[in-house]
Amino acid sequence: MRNLNQDNITQAVLARLADTPDPRLHEILTSLVQHLHAFAREVKLTEAEWFQGIQYLTATGQMCDDKRQEFILLSDVLGLSMLTIAMNNGKPDGCTEATVFGPFYVEGAPEYAHGDDVANGAAGEPCDVYATVRGLDGEPVANAVVDVWQADEGGHYDVQKAGLGHAENRGRLRTAADGSLHFRSVLAEAYPIPVDGPVGDLLRATRRHPWRPAHLHFKIEAPGYEHLITHVFREGDQWLDSDAVFAVRQSLVAPWKQQENGRWRLDFDFVLNPLKQPA
Ligand code: BEZ
Ligand code: FE
């Protein structure tokens, strides 16, 4: 095929994909090419703009390492992460909704017992978290593996602190026989997503703020139930309606209450979706 022009090049590329053996890969690549070409036509992409895009994606890749995933951050601020989560996590009413994973989860967090302080030295106002994990039928889920992680009062996760050398504000606990869970921590505070890379450039160029409303991250796994990756957001936070990564669900917003002893307290009940039994 020679002398392709702007009217027939899309079809030529699609024809070249026709022998892709994996049907799902074929479907995805076909749609990607169609949308990419349609996008270029719609905005009448210039060569300079095409090259700027290439440079932007190159810089995004160069910002990635084992601690920083700038491509996920880009997906987050473009709403692609939350769209994908919304499309893939439809659950019956009553189940706790899922939201973004974020880049700050770390495998192998320290194991804690109920009542332990997962802050482990992180700065912040002291806080008690009481939670339960149940199935949709209300049955307590015993021995669920619950990972929790959060930022400190300065809005930083431990992995963002160079040379820290130990885990702060993250841990793994297991629910008791009655599905309950209790740990100590620090008050969750709002924080800006990292803006020292290409995602920050994009936010500045579009006059967008980088803030996420205060939240706690949870990852909950229990046999017989769908895994749940979610947050609990702090009621009253000024960024709830303009989260930089579009992740707020009203059902995940809860009050942190200050107790008479001055400590903060959060109570939250998680409801897991049972896995479908094979027929
Ligand atoms: C987070 O909540 O940790 C997070 C999520 C998306 C982007 C940046 C941070
Ligand atoms: Fe977070």
Side-chain angles (χ1 to χ4, degrees):
M1 226 171 294
R2 298 187 185 178
N3 301 332
L4 291 166
N5 60 37
Q6 57 177 303
D7 298 320
N8 58 15
I9 188 163
T10 304
Q11 276 314 315
V13 179
L14 296 181
R16 200 71 66 86
L17 297 174
D19 293 337
T20 309
D22 179 336
R24 179 64 175 156
L25 181 62
H26 182 252
E27 179 183 3
I28 287 173
L29 288 177
T30 299
S31 180
L32 181 68
V33 167
Q34 285 170 328
H35 282 87
L36 270 179
H37 287 211
F39 154 75
R41 288 192 181 93
E42 183 177 314
V43 302
K44 299 188 170 54
L45 194 68
T46 67
E47 288 164 278
E49 289 161 347
W50 171 85
F51 190 56
Q52 210 180 341
I54 297 290
Q55 285 177 310
Y56 185 81
L57 293 175
T58 304
T60 301
Q62 286 167 341
M63 199 76 196
C64 295
D65 59 26
D66 57 338
K67 293 220 171 62
R68 175 82 177 252
Q69 231 303 349
E70 194 76 358
F71 273 115
I72 294 184
L73 204 56
L74 182 58
S75 160
D76 293 341
V77 300
L78 294 178
L80 180 61
S81 307
M82 207 49 215
L83 170 62
T84 309
I85 289 163
M87 288 190 304
N88 288 283
N89 284 274
K91 297 178 198 290
D93 284 351
C95 288
T96 304
E97 294 184 278
T99 191
V100 292
F101 199 30
F104 299 125
Y105 172 76
V106 176
E107 287 287 347
E111 304 255 352
Y112 287 109
H114 285 204
D116 282 351
D117 186 7
V118 308
N120 197 23
E125 294 185 48
C127 179
D128 300 302
V129 178
Y130 290 86
T132 63
V133 180
R134 295 180 182 280
L136 194 53
D137 57 3
E139 276 298 297
V141 179
N143 219 22
V145 177
V146 179
D147 275 284
V148 55
W149 65 106
Q150 67 164 103
D152 66 8
E153 71 176 2
H156 295 106
Y157 287 80
D158 54 1
V159 287
Q160 295 176 288
K161 301 178 191 174
L164 183 64
H166 66 277
E168 284 184 359
N169 273 344
R170 72 174 68 246
R172 172 170 279 193
L173 301 99
R174 284 178 168 72
T175 52
D178 63 355
S180 69
L181 185 77
H182 163 48
F183 59 90
R184 291 179 291 137
S185 175
V186 293
L187 180 66
E189 302 280 3
Y191 65 85
I193 63 168
V195 291
D196 54 342
V199 168
D201 295 338
L202 178 74
L203 295 182
R204 283 182 289 276
T206 54
R207 303 284 186 273
R208 282 174 58 181
H209 75 71
W211 287 89
R212 298 221 58 213
H215 58 272
L216 266 180
H217 291 259
F218 289 91
K219 177 161 93 66
I220 305 180
E221 297 184 347
Y225 295 91
E226 286 178 7
H227 296 175
L228 176 66
I229 291 171
T230 196
H231 299 4
V232 179
F233 292 95
R234 196 167 136 206
E235 189 177 87
D237 191 288
Q238 71 173 116
W239 307 108
L240 283 170
D241 289 311
S242 64
D243 181 9
V245 301
F246 307 97
V248 178
R249 317 289 308 166
Q250 179 55 34
S251 69
L252 302 176
V253 178
W256 266 246
K257 293 181 179 150
Q258 201 155 21
Q259 304 169 97
E260 275 174 15
N261 61 9
R263 296 175 64 84
W264 292 88
R265 175 174 173 141
L266 166 70
D267 291 89
F268 199 83
D269 298 322
F270 296 95
V271 179
L272 302 185
N273 195 18
L275 286 172
K276 287 182 192 58
Q277 302 297 330

